[in-house]
């Protein structure tokens, strides 16, 4: 759970997360925007389906990986939010349609 | 700046725009060498000065004067004329000093006559039961959110662990008006006695007065529980409580955020993948590169500066960056002017003199490095537990690399960054060997993920195309 300090006034950037519109602020990373909006867990692991959320916020732990504008497994903590960005979270193991 | 508008070769390529990288760039570009600084974050500053040019936190007392000192470092590097490439990942570096870059979905190679790796530090793994639950984060991660976005923890918040950064973050949160329910201090009481012989070097450092003031400021507002020997996080799907033991007493606290920290360790992935020799540091309890007095590694032309060369803090990182910069100027443009190396070495020695005390006092206790409980997850990516690693070691697994084949430990997306040290220490303990002998994961490029599409679209020379296309 996070809150914005009252003094913070940045431009609002609207992104879409799993089809839902989310208001972030300019300068937020995707991972920070997800945490600020309370959208945790941000992924379910491919191994056991366990819920996870961003952990290190500095490009090391890969817990924040999401699909951004169609590119899978991006580190959300390293990508700044952009207007109309499409973010999809990872829900466990990928299924192959045969 | 776009990747395709970049020149093919630079005199000096610096990986990381933190204290060391920025200071090195100001020296080499200032001496007229064509210098490139690459950083994977959105702006310069590294972790200590994260978002220093863009932070929305305008009340300067919250982050403190030491943070804002980073503005000068960035300004000096920019003024020097170094090319600054942000949001760019270095995914490869080899012995020929060829550097693989990736930015915004496209990749390319460049070369440099000299490379300075200034990739800094990461927080040491803190494997306790429940550390993978949403709601558990590193203290450094929360500090990043404060610096870059003005976000602070809401709800019941507990900070646990040891080390200077823990107290710095706590003081910043207190100043920002955040209520911290408790600090679970894992510094063993005996550590104060052990550290005492090193006190002389520390008392003379400005860190001494700063550190005391921080602790006093925090302790006035927050319940500090000393001598914590056990921590467990629990919850169903997300963090709900933390249970600790201290002095034979147990208590469970309801909690929304648990911030963990037990020091930082060098970020070695790129340097190891480039083939730079590393050794186990028995006091810092991590692998550090083998370097000469100018910061040059075992690979000719590759220097390592800053905390990536062994943890010594932001001020020392800055001086190490300058030294690596001066050495590059001496090697590539001996007639150019560069700062006085002797003066830099003297300042560096003063900063390093404080380390003996800090490293001894804040050495994380064994039970928080080598999880006593078999159920504790060690490898977060592949969900491998301490018990599984111990069992593999008992069955004869000789080291971290064989362990991968046995268990997939260290083979997930983070490539061992969050389990490498834990695995080395568990195997060392189980087999009765030293961590140096057990060794580390063998790291190879790409050290950060790159898509096949990016690789396939990389600009290739006519000769390279001819070699594979009929």
């Amino acid at each position: 759970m996070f809150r914005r300090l009252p003094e913070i006034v940045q431009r609002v950037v609207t992104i879409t997360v799993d089809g839902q519109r989310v208001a972030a602020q300019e300068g937020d990373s995707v991972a920070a925007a997800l945490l600020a909006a309370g959208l945790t867990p941000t992924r379910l692991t491919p191994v056991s389906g366990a819920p996870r959320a961003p952990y290190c916020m500095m490009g090391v732990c890969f817990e924040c990986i999401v699909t951004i504008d169609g590119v899978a497994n991006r580190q959300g903590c390293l990508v700044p939010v952009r207007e109309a960005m499409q973010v999809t979270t990872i829900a466990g193991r990928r299924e192959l349609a045969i | 700046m776009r990747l395709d508008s970049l020149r093919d070769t630079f005199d000096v390529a610096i990986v990381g725009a933190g204290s060391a990288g920025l200071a090195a760039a100001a020296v080499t570009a200032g001496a007229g060498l064509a210098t490139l600084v690459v950083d994977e974050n959105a702006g310069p500053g590294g972790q200590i000065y994260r978002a220093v040019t863009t932070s929305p936190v305008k009340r300067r007392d919250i982050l403190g004067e030491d943070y804002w000192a980073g503005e000068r470092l960035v300004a000096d590097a920019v003024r020097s004329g170094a090319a600054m490439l942000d949001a760019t990942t270095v995914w490869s570096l080899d012995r020929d000093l060829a550097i693989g870059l990736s930015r915004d979905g496209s990749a390319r190679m460049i070369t440099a006559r000299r490379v300075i790796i200034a990739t800094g530090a990461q927080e040491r793994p803190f494997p306790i039961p429940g550390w993978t639950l949403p709601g558990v984060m590193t203290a450094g991660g929360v500090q990043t959110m404060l610096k870059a976005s003005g976000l602070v923890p809401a709800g019941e918040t507990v900070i646990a662990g040891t080390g200077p950064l823990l107290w710095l973050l706590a003081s910043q949160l207190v100043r920002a008006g955040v209520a911290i329910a408790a600090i679970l201090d894992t510094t063993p009481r005996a550590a104060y006695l052990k550290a005492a012989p090193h006190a002389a070097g520390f008392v003379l450092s400005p860190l001494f007065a700063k550190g005391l003031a921080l602790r006093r400021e925090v302790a006035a507002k927050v319940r500090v529980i000393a001598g914590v020997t056990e921590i467990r996080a629990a919850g169903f799907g997300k963090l709900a409580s933390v249970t600790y033991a201290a002095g034979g007493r147990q208590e469970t606290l309801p909690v929304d955020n648990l911030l963990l920290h037990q020091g930082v360790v060098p970020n070695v992935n790129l340097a190891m993948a480039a083939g730079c020799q590393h050794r186990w540091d028995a006091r810092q309890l991590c692998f550090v590169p083998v370097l000469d007095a100018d910061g040059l590694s075992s690979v000719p032309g590759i220097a390592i500066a800053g905390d990536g060369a062994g943890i010594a803090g932001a001020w020392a990182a800055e001086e190490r960056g300058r030294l690596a910069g001066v050495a590059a100027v001496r090697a590539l443009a001996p007639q150019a002017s560069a700062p006085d190396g002797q003066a830099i070495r003297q300042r560096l020695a003063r900063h390093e003199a404080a380390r003996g005390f800090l490293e001894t006092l804040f050495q994380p206790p064994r039970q928080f490095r080598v999880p006593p409980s078999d159920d504790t997850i060690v490898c977060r990516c592949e969900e491998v537990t301490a018990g599984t690693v111990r069992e593999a070691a008992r069955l004869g697994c000789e080291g971290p690399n064989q362990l991968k084949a046995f268990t997939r430990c260290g083979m997930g997306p983070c490539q061992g960054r969050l389990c490498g040290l834990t695995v080395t220490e568990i195997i060392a303990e189980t087999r009765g060997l030293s961590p140096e002998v057990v060794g580390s994961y063998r790291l190879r490029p790409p050290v950060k993920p790159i898509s096949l599409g990016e690789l396939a679209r990389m600009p290739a020379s006519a000769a390279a195309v001819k070699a594979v296309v009929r």
Side-chain angles (χ1 to χ4, degrees):
Chain A
M1 286 166 70
F2 286 83
R3 65 177 169 90
R4 196 85 60 170
L5 289 178
E7 64 168 79
I8 306 296
V9 273
Q10 297 284 92
R11 200 171 63 85
V12 172
V13 175
T14 308
I15 63 172
T16 304
V17 182
D18 295 334
Q20 178 190 344
R21 284 162 62 84
V22 171
Q25 287 200 7
E26 191 162 39
D28 285 355
S29 64
V30 170
L34 294 176
L35 284 169
L39 295 176
T40 55
T42 56
R43 72 176 183 117
L44 306 178
T45 63
V47 177
S48 73
R52 296 285 174 87
Y55 179 71
C56 81
M57 299 301 281
M58 53 179 279
V60 174
C61 75
F62 287 73
E63 291 290 3
C64 64
I65 52 177
V66 286
T67 300
I68 299 176
D69 291 334
V71 182
N73 299 324
R74 299 288 313 273
Q75 289 183 275
C77 71
L78 295 179
V79 182
V81 291
R82 267 194 301 248
E83 193 63 38
M85 182 179 260
Q86 299 281 332
V87 177
T88 315
T89 59
I90 297 169
R93 190 172 300 157
R94 208 126 27 126
E95 299 287 336
L96 194 64
I98 301 173
Chain B
M1 187 185 290
R2 287 167 55 96
L3 276 194
D4 49 16
S5 65
L6 215 58
R7 47 199 287 179
D8 288 327
T9 185
F10 284 83
D11 292 324
V12 182
I14 298 168
V15 187
S19 324
L22 291 169
V27 171
T28 58
L33 294 173
T35 301
L36 173 70
V37 186
V38 186
D39 193 284
E40 65 182 352
N41 287 296
Q47 303 307 331
I48 290 290
Y49 306 123
R50 178 68 169 247
V52 71
T53 55
T54 56
S55 178
V57 181
K58 298 298 174 227
R59 246 185 65 201
R60 290 173 81 93
D61 66 302
I62 291 180
L63 294 170
E65 58 176 26
D66 287 343
Y67 170 73
W68 295 104
E71 287 179 314
R72 175 190 49 80
L73 261 183
V74 174
D76 287 351
V78 170
R79 200 177 321 116
S80 72
M84 311 271 280
L85 197 56
D86 61 12
T88 303
T89 298
V90 173
W91 47 271
S92 172
L93 167 65
D94 66 19
R95 289 170 168 272
D96 299 326
L97 309 191
I99 304 160
L101 303 177
S102 165
R103 186 179 207 273
D104 208 14
S106 61
R108 67 168 290 187
M109 307 296 295
I110 60 159
T111 57
R113 298 166 69 199
R114 188 96 161 187
V115 174
I116 300 174
I117 296 178
T119 49
Q122 64 163 79
E123 286 177 273
R124 177 190 293 280
F126 202 143
I128 54 164
W131 71 311
T132 54
L133 287 168
V136 183
M137 287 181 75
T138 67
V142 169
Q143 196 187 37
T144 290
M145 292 175 69
L146 170 59
K147 289 170 179 171
S149 295
L151 288 164
V152 293
E156 288 294 306
T157 299
V158 169
I159 305 180
T162 185
L165 179 71
L166 184 141
W167 296 97
L168 177 60
L169 174 71
S171 71
Q172 289 169 332
L173 291 180
V174 163
R175 271 176 245 148
V178 176
I180 300 169
I183 291 179
L184 309 179
D185 185 352
T186 60
T187 314
R189 292 179 206 278
Y192 288 89
L193 284 176
K194 270 194 227 158
H198 302 282
F202 185 61
V203 172
L204 294 174
S205 161
L207 290 173
F208 175 65
K210 281 177 195 282
L212 276 186
L214 281 185
R215 282 185 87 121
R216 209 174 298 129
E217 182 184 0
V218 171
K221 295 261 175 68
V222 181
R223 178 184 174 211
V224 178
I225 297 148
V228 170
T229 52
E230 191 187 335
I231 303 171
R232 273 175 288 138
F236 186 73
K238 67 173 188 172
L239 177 69
S241 69
V242 59
T243 302
Y244 70 89
R249 193 171 57 85
Q250 277 214 0
E251 189 187 3
T252 298
L253 304 169
V255 62
D256 300 297
N257 307 292
L258 173 62
L259 319 184
L260 298 176
H261 178 80
Q262 52 177 352
V264 298
V265 294
N267 217 329
V268 292
N269 283 53
L270 184 66
M272 280 191 178
C276 302
Q277 195 192 336
H278 285 67
R279 65 174 176 84
W280 178 260
D281 184 313
R283 196 164 71 188
Q284 294 194 358
L285 299 171
C286 56
F287 289 99
V288 297
V290 177
L291 303 172
D292 74 6
D294 288 327
L296 275 169
S297 75
S298 62
V299 177
I302 299 181
I304 304 175
D307 269 357
I311 304 305
W315 297 340
E318 196 178 316
E319 303 303 349
R320 285 173 174 176
R322 284 196 187 100
L323 275 184
V326 170
V329 174
R330 293 268 168 275
L332 304 179
Q335 72 291 353
S337 71
D340 173 18
Q342 205 47 42
I344 301 172
R345 276 181 220 285
Q346 279 170 8
R347 290 199 297 272
L348 178 59
R350 267 204 301 280
H351 298 316
E352 287 179 341
R355 301 311 301 181
F357 181 82
L358 291 173
E359 284 168 16
T360 314
L361 178 63
F362 293 127
Q363 191 175 72
R366 171 162 285 269
Q367 73 270 25
F368 292 117
R369 307 194 318 270
V370 178
S373 156
D374 277 346
D375 296 337
T376 305
I377 286 181
V378 166
C379 169
R380 299 173 59 105
C381 298
E382 294 294 332
E383 301 179 47
V384 180
T385 62
T388 301
V389 177
R390 268 193 278 267
E391 189 192 359
R394 275 195 296 266
L395 286 172
C397 174
E398 290 183 344
N401 297 299
Q402 202 177 35
L403 183 72
K404 291 185 195 172
F406 280 27
T407 65
R408 285 200 56 80
C409 191
M411 294 179 75
C414 97
Q415 288 290 290
R417 288 170 172 88
L418 267 280
C419 68
L421 291 173
T422 316
V423 160
T424 294
E425 286 209 272
I426 292 178
I427 297 176
E429 185 182 87
T430 308
R431 293 181 61 87
L433 300 169
S434 74
E436 174 85 44
V437 168
V438 169
S440 66
Y441 289 130
R442 196 173 300 117
L443 299 167
R444 296 186 184 87
V447 293
K448 278 283 177 110
I450 173 173
S451 72
L452 275 174
E454 274 181 86
L455 275 177
R457 285 193 306 272
M458 273 211 302
S461 69
V465 172
K466 193 159 175 273
V468 292
V469 178
R470 280 171 194 270

